[in-house]
Amino acid sequence: MNNPPTREDIFQIIRHQLAEILEINEDRISEGSSFVDDLDADSLALIELVEAIEGEFSKGEHQFRIEDDDLEDLRTMRDAVDYVVQVLGVSQ
């Protein structure tokens, strides 16, 4: 059985995925980074990020899903990391 990811693991995974999608250096992405204001992510990039996060954290029969109603609340890296932490039940 694999150990559950830590909050830092989740941050690093999302940061890596976002850097790949936006074709930027991971060093430009901090926890306080706003997807739109700081990183110039457009709606297509954000959709790709949601799909990447869902794919990354879906394991076996457990399908990780970001609910459509929650998408508008995910504006920064911190929002995304906090969301994944909450859904996965990671102890902080």
Side-chain angles (χ1 to χ4, degrees), residues 66-73:
I66 297 175
E67 299 301 327
D68 293 343
D69 292 349
D70 296 330
L71 289 176
E72 66 187 37
D73 295 331

Side-chain angles (χ1 to χ4, degrees), residues 6 8 20 39 64 76 84 86:
T6 64
E8 179 64 20
E20 293 274 316
L39 303 172
F64 182 91
T76 67
V84 174
Q86 179 183 355

Side-chain angles (χ1 to χ4, degrees), residues 8-38:
E8 179 64 20
D9 293 337
I10 292 167
F11 170 72
Q12 294 297 337
I13 290 167
I14 296 173
R15 182 166 80 162
H16 175 76
Q17 293 287 348
L18 185 59
E20 293 274 316
I21 291 165
L22 297 178
E23 299 178 353
I24 61 173
N25 191 309
E26 287 184 30
D27 295 342
R28 283 193 49 201
I29 304 170
S30 70
E31 228 184 284
S33 295
S34 164
F35 296 130
V36 176
D37 296 338
D38 298 327

Side-chain angles (χ1 to χ4, degrees), residues 13-14 17 47-59 62-68 71 83-84:
I13 290 167
I14 296 173
Q17 293 287 348
I47 290 168
E48 287 183 54
L49 179 61
V50 166
E51 290 172 352
I53 291 171
E54 289 177 341
E56 193 69 45
F57 294 104
S58 292
K59 303 293 181 214
H62 175 73
Q63 292 298 308
F64 182 91
R65 182 145 161 66
I66 297 175
E67 299 301 327
D68 293 343
L71 289 176
Y83 185 87
V84 174

